Amino acid sequence: FPKVEKFILKFLKPVVLVVIAGTIALGVYTNIHIFRMIRPMAILAGCLLPYCGYLTGALVSLVTCQTWKHVKTIAIETGIQNTGIAFMMLFLSLPPPDNQLATVGPAASAIMTPQPLFVTVIVYLIYKRCTRTTEESSCGKHTEKTEEEAARQDLVSSGKEDRVRTSGTRRATLMSGGNGKSAVMVLWEKLTGVEKANPVEEMLNRELIVPSPTSTTKDEPSWTA
């Protein structure tokens, strides 16, 4: 059921967060007297059990040549202890106030167990976001540079073409003497010493005879120059 899976995963994280927050708040409120008895040495003892479990599980999995995913899984599963069972066994098997004093150790261990995992996740998310922003900025700069380089190349190529065109026009103008004649005609005139009329000027100066739109007679049309 892939649609049901997407629907469940969408609401799973917020529901889990609400349940965990409610459980922690309710547990602290109902056992506030136990938390008041927690001292620095109890916190240190509570840290030693899970943290030694993390290190031992990671080292053993590395020695046995496990994959990185298996190393993380074994370390976390070894470090996280079921403090709830120890808490309930001590609280129900001993008479008060001994049961309250005995449950200080499991309570301290439960408080300090997830702290390194939270810190690791926060550091990882910050690192991932920073690397993502740097990669995006570098990609943006690279694209801007490539666009600028392409524009510069276009300008350079267009400038070269313009220079080639202008140089060719100047060369043709100098060879033709600036009068519209072709270079071959100018060279022929210089070699033979005979100047020929420019065909372009002849066409422009030639009188064009066209029929008049109005004629005097039907048989004889009038011509105008």
Side-chain angles (χ1 to χ4, degrees), residues 53-65 71 75:
Y54 293 145
L55 294 176
T56 304
L59 290 175
V60 171
S61 57
L62 287 173
V63 170
T64 54
C65 299
V71 169

Side-chain angles (χ1 to χ4, degrees), residues 1-214:
F1 301 100
K3 294 182 179 180
V4 179
E5 179 186 3
K6 292 180 180 179
F7 180 79
I8 292 173
L9 290 175
K10 186 182 293 184
F11 292 95
L12 184 63
K13 289 183 179 180
V15 170
V16 169
L17 290 175
V18 170
V19 170
I20 291 174
T23 303
I24 293 173
L26 184 62
V28 172
Y29 179 76
T30 55
N31 301 296
I32 191 65
H33 56 281
I34 297 175
F35 290 97
R36 288 175 180 172
M37 292 186 290
I38 296 177
R39 296 292 184 266
M41 293 301 295
I43 295 175
L44 180 61
C47 292
L48 288 176
L49 179 63
Y51 298 172
C52 291
Y54 293 145
L55 294 176
T56 304
L59 290 175
V60 171
S61 57
L62 287 173
V63 170
T64 54
C65 299
Q66 299 293 325
T67 61
W68 178 238
K69 290 183 179 181
H70 291 170
V71 169
K72 292 187 291 184
T73 303
I74 293 169
I76 293 172
E77 291 290 340
T78 307
I80 294 178
Q81 306 295 324
N82 196 344
T83 56
I85 294 177
F87 186 90
M88 295 305 297
M89 288 179 64
L90 292 172
F91 189 80
L92 296 176
S93 61
L94 297 175
D98 296 335
N99 56 357
Q100 297 179 0
L101 296 173
T103 53
V104 172
S109 180
I111 293 171
M112 302 308 298
T113 295
Q115 304 307 322
L117 302 180
F118 285 149
V119 173
T120 305
V121 170
I122 292 171
V123 171
Y124 174 73
L125 292 176
I126 293 172
Y127 171 76
K128 192 174 180 179
R129 180 166 295 182
C130 293
T131 53
R132 185 184 301 172
T133 52
T134 52
E135 288 177 358
E136 290 177 355
S137 61
S138 63
C139 290
K141 291 180 180 178
H142 181 67
T143 53
E144 289 177 358
K145 287 182 180 179
T146 53
E147 290 177 357
E148 290 179 358
E149 290 177 357
R152 289 176 182 175
Q153 290 178 358
D154 293 337
L155 290 173
V156 170
S157 60
S158 62
K160 288 182 179 179
E161 291 177 357
D162 293 338
R163 285 195 292 271
V164 170
R165 290 175 183 173
T166 53
S167 62
T169 306
R170 289 175 182 174
R171 192 177 298 109
T173 305
L174 290 172
M175 291 182 68
S176 62
N179 53 8
K181 295 181 181 180
S182 65
V184 177
M185 188 180 296
V186 173
L187 290 174
W188 177 257
E189 289 177 356
K190 289 182 179 181
L191 291 174
T192 58
V194 179
E195 293 185 1
K196 292 184 178 181
N198 191 354
V200 178
E201 293 180 357
E202 290 181 357
M203 290 180 65
L204 292 175
N205 295 328
R206 184 182 300 175
E207 292 182 353
L208 298 177
I209 301 174
V210 295
S212 175
T214 58

